[in-house]
Amino acid sequence: MDTTGPAALFQRELAASVEATLVQQARRNEVTVARVRAIALGFVTVLDVVLWTQPPGFTLPYAFSGLNPLLAAAWLAAALALAAALSRGWYRPWLRAALPLVDGAIMLSLFACIVLTAQSIEYVRPAVTNTAIACALLAVSGALRLKRRAVWITTAMSVVVFATVASLAGNPVPETLFACALLVGVGFLGMWMNEIARRSVRSEVGRLVLGRFLPREVVDGAHTEPLALLARPRRLVATVLVSDLRGFTSQAEHMPPEQVLQLLNQVQSTLAGIVHRHHGRVDKFMGDGLLAVFGMEPGGDADHAAQAVQAAREMGAAIAPPLKLGIGVHSGPLVAGCLGSGLRLEFTVIGDTVNTAARLQDMTKEFGVDLLVSAETRRLAGGGGEWRSLGAVAIRGRQGEQELFTPAVGSV
């Protein structure tokens, strides 16, 4: 597989764009986590102060060390500073792995301080239960960082924190092991949530970017590996329509540039709408002309020639004098794929079918008609007496002659 071509380069750039989107979302999640961290430490600090002073109604059967509120207040100050920095836009990708270590240090120091300063082991049983709950929250928070490494770090930290606190509190080993196993399970849940979020972001970014230059039907039909569409050109049989606006240049000479662009946008928007209604796709606008393809959807469309012809007739009727539209239509094999570089990539169609349709559009001037279709398009579209043959004509760039048709007088 080519790793240096434009499609491969674009794939790498798109992958970088996806990663950048993940980082931005992780930054927003990290701001939320920082605020929750600060609020939680605020409650802990207030509670520790209350338990230390033991006002009426909050009397404990043992003395609560003043070291607990002091340590909680210190962590609260750090958490507030971190939340303020993140809210102002300061963020580095490595924080997704570093901050779980900080959370683990906060939890370990706070609960270890309670255990180590308690006068009796029986008083620290609630601390072990609270530690288990906090560790479960720590384990699942890794999913919000949208990084596998962050999930593993938060899970590992939750196990280390709980095992350490449980050991200090003299918790039975079987109970500790069972709780640690549950924390690992929570970590796997976080990993699953992380993968879902990453796949969702990749899919949405890929669809948004590809939708700018790929047919909607092609993007919607690519349920797996949508980026592979960029590396694999498709061969198909379709109908190509090329149009050119007559009289626009002379009319534009007497108009301000802004009005010229506005008029051209109105005309092209009308023509593109007609193409879309007949299940075609505008491949590109070429100034006052356009190139449209019918039959691009996966599996093809047996009516693509008839749809293109009907669209051509409606397009011609939609243009008001003094402007006129010259249209060439031809059906045949073509190749759909990407052209360009990683900086500017365009999904387009190439081949003799495209060139022939363009030649037919040019030849409408020679024959003095608005619409020319090839014998192949006429055969596929049907219509019998609706068409008038102009005979076999040599087309520039093609060997042999091609019978050309134009709508019969009075046909719709």
Side-chain angles (χ1 to χ4, degrees):
M1 181 177 177
D2 182 14
T3 60
T4 60
L9 178 58
F10 182 78
Q11 285 181 297
R12 290 194 294 271
E13 291 180 349
L14 186 55
S17 176
V18 170
E19 185 59 31
T21 301
L22 288 169
V23 170
Q24 288 299 317
Q25 184 59 52
R27 185 193 69 80
R28 289 190 288 267
N29 292 347
E30 202 65 71
V31 172
T32 301
V33 172
R35 292 171 179 170
V36 172
R37 182 190 297 114
I39 293 173
L41 286 171
F43 279 118
V44 170
T45 302
V46 171
L47 181 61
D48 282 354
V49 170
V50 170
L51 294 177
W52 176 48
T53 57
Q54 295 194 26
F58 288 90
T59 303
L60 295 176
Y62 61 91
F64 194 78
S65 173
L67 182 60
N68 296 299
L70 182 63
L71 181 61
W75 280 122
L76 173 61
L80 290 173
L82 178 59
L86 291 173
S87 298
R88 287 177 171 80
W90 181 81
Y91 182 76
R92 298 293 183 274
W94 51 263
L95 288 174
R96 290 189 285 181
L99 289 180
L101 298 176
V102 174
D103 289 334
I106 292 174
M107 293 170 53
L108 181 59
S109 60
L110 290 176
F111 288 113
C113 183
I114 294 175
V115 172
L116 294 176
T117 58
Q119 296 175 328
S120 175
I121 291 296
E122 66 181 81
Y123 297 139
V124 301
R125 295 296 182 189
V128 176
T129 301
N130 294 337
T131 301
I133 297 174
C135 286
L137 294 176
L138 174 61
V140 78
S141 69
L144 298 175
R145 274 126 182 170
L146 303 178
K147 195 74 173 178
R148 298 184 187 89
R149 182 169 52 185
V151 179
W152 289 123
I153 291 176
T154 54
T155 302
M157 286 301 301
S158 66
V159 171
V160 169
V161 169
F162 180 78
T164 302
V165 173
S167 176
L168 293 174
N171 210 49
V173 173
E175 291 183 11
T176 301
L177 292 177
F178 182 74
C180 289
L182 291 178
L183 291 175
V184 172
V186 172
F188 277 109
L189 177 62
M191 179 65 73
W192 176 63
M193 295 169 58
N194 173 72
E195 289 301 317
I196 291 177
R198 291 179 67 89
R199 283 198 300 268
S200 177
V201 170
R202 287 196 188 98
S203 176
E204 188 60 25
V205 171
R207 286 175 60 86
L208 288 175
V209 175
L210 292 176
R212 296 177 182 176
F213 55 89
L214 287 175
R216 178 183 58 81
E217 295 86 354
V218 174
V219 177
D220 291 343
H223 299 296
T224 59
E225 300 289 340
L227 296 184
L229 292 170
L230 301 177
R232 292 198 300 265
R234 290 198 304 143
R235 292 182 178 272
L236 66 154
V237 174
T239 298
V240 177
L241 180 154
V242 177
S243 72
D244 184 65
L245 200 59
R246 311 279 192 243
F248 181 78
T249 303
S250 59
Q251 182 174 339
E253 291 177 353
H254 309 287
M255 299 170 59
E258 295 81 4
Q259 292 184 11
V260 172
L261 184 60
Q262 182 179 11
L263 174 60
L264 187 57
N265 277 331
Q266 291 175 349
V267 171
Q268 296 289 45
S269 176
T270 299
L271 299 182
I274 294 173
V275 169
H276 180 73
R277 285 200 302 273
H278 290 279
H279 309 288
R281 170 184 176 259
V282 175
D283 183 78
K284 62 171 64 67
F285 292 106
M286 304 169 292
D288 56 1
L290 66 79
L291 188 155
V293 186
F294 296 79
M296 280 283 293
E297 62 275 5
D301 191 331
D303 298 327
H304 55 80
Q307 292 167 346
V309 169
Q310 186 61 34
R313 291 177 171 177
E314 291 187 20
M315 290 166 68
I319 301 300
L323 298 177
K324 294 180 64 178
L325 202 63
I327 303 176
V329 183
H330 179 54
S331 305
L334 50 81
V335 175
C338 290
L339 291 177
S341 67
L343 298 177
R344 177 67 174 91
L345 196 64
E346 180 181 15
F347 187 86
T348 188
V349 290
I350 58 174
D352 178 69
T353 300
V354 180
N355 298 335
T356 300
R359 299 284 188 270
L360 296 184
Q361 182 278 127
D362 289 335
M363 294 173 67
T364 58
K365 303 174 187 177
E366 302 175 17
F367 286 96
V369 297
D370 298 332
L371 172 61
L372 279 179
V373 304
S374 66
E376 182 64 15
T377 298
R378 187 262 185 190
R379 182 185 66 82
L380 293 174
E386 296 181 6
W387 297 102
R388 176 169 59 92
S389 174
L390 298 178
V393 180
I395 300 176
R396 180 167 54 90
R398 299 194 78 206
Q399 294 182 351
E401 295 181 333
Q402 171 80 245
E403 186 177 8
L404 303 182
F405 293 85
T406 191
V409 177
S411 65
V412 180

